[in-house]
Amino acid sequence: MIGIKKAAVAVWAMGSAATVLAHSWVDCAKYDPVNQVCLGYSRGYPGRVNPDINLLYSYVFSGSPATQAMCNPKTQSAMNYSPLFPIATVQPGETVYTSWEQNGHLNNTHPTKIDILYYPDANKQFADVTERSTAMVAGTMDFATNSTCYRPEDSNTVCFGSWTVPKDLVPGNTYHFAWFWYFNQNPAGEWYSTCFDFKVEEASYVVKTTPMNVLLAMDAPTNVYAQGMSDAVQKQMAQVTTLGKESQDAVTSYSSQAPVASGTPVVSQSPTPEPPASSPPVEPAQPSSSTSVAPSPAPQKCRPRPVLV
């Protein structure tokens, strides 16, 4: 009985510590909130199915350290991706959605902030936390509010925000980013980071820009989107668009719930009418005083076949 009580106390203590300590990380570097799937992950992502993800992936800077590695040395010191958790592909000027979990830190009055840090030099990687002050900022988002989280009353709900891939990034290169959360509920300072990379190309699968209130009105996604790349999502990603030729708020949204053929979507067009068939040559009839010659009938024009929708 004593052993049971000790175990219960230990479990309670662990739960209490979890509510006191902040922890969060990027689950999906390029999130598709329309289909609620992940189109690219951060470095060394182990998936939400891994019971040790908090120990493996949460990376804290306590007490405003003067120096510390920007990227988690255990999982993010290199560009380590896999077919199950691949790197994302984007293009310059694309609006990207990135997702994380609230973890009990909803704050509508004084929301904590996230910066997306980057360098415009593809050869420049993050080394130290001091670079939070020297790197470029691609976007700033609220961490957890009623306007960024699906179910604010749920401490583990998914939250996400949007930002724009810098237009000066050169296609054909891979660039490096850091999601940097200024939690700062500790008076001495407390921050968190997740490092990820983007392959920049001239065309990519583009998520249709949609108002946040519309996206948040959808049912909250399950952890399926954070469990790895499915075949359906891979087929979805094959539907690429080049921005400039098409506005991001006008792109077609493809469903990842059913197989999608690879390549450019086919647009129905009216078929070109076939040319009229040639009439066979007619032997001239010999005129007769008692028989009149009827004129040859005009060739029939072919009608266009109806378009099947």
Side-chain angles (χ1 to χ4, degrees), residues 215-292:
L215 297 172
L216 292 173
M218 300 170 64
D219 289 337
T222 64
N223 275 340
V224 171
Y225 85 96
Q227 292 179 2
M229 185 71 64
S230 67
D231 291 341
V233 177
Q234 288 180 343
K235 291 178 180 179
Q236 174 188 343
M237 291 169 60
Q239 309 297 327
V240 299
T241 299
T242 299
L243 296 177
K245 296 181 179 179
E246 187 172 7
S247 171
Q248 189 160 347
D249 58 3
V251 299
T252 303
S253 295
Y254 297 91
S255 172
S256 63
Q257 307 307 314
V260 179
S262 61
T264 305
V266 176
V267 179
S268 297
Q269 296 180 343
S270 299
T272 303
E274 296 179 359
S278 300
S279 300
V282 179
E283 294 293 335
Q286 297 296 325
S288 170
S289 58
S290 60
T291 306
S292 60

Side-chain angles (χ1 to χ4, degrees), residues 28-42:
C28 187
K30 183 177 179 179
Y31 174 52
D32 174 1
V34 176
N35 289 299
Q36 296 186 337
V37 295
C38 189
L39 307 177
Y41 295 84
S42 44

Side-chain angles (χ1 to χ4, degrees), residues 114-118 136-141 162-166 178 180:
I114 297 166
D115 279 345
I116 300 295
L117 308 174
Y118 80 103
M136 306 289 286
V137 178
T140 299
M141 302 172 285
S162 65
W163 54 281
T164 302
V165 177
F180 200 87

Side-chain angles (χ1 to χ4, degrees), residues 185-239:
Q185 300 304 301
N186 178 349
E190 187 174 338
W191 317 315
Y192 292 80
S193 77
T194 303
C195 292
F196 61 94
D197 313 278
F198 278 166
K199 291 174 62 179
V200 177
E201 301 292 351
E202 292 183 351
S204 61
Y205 180 85
V206 175
V207 178
K208 179 182 176 66
T209 50
T210 307
M212 284 291 287
N213 64 322
V214 174
L215 297 172
L216 292 173
M218 300 170 64
D219 289 337
T222 64
N223 275 340
V224 171
Y225 85 96
Q227 292 179 2
M229 185 71 64
S230 67
D231 291 341
V233 177
Q234 288 180 343
K235 291 178 180 179
Q236 174 188 343
M237 291 169 60
Q239 309 297 327

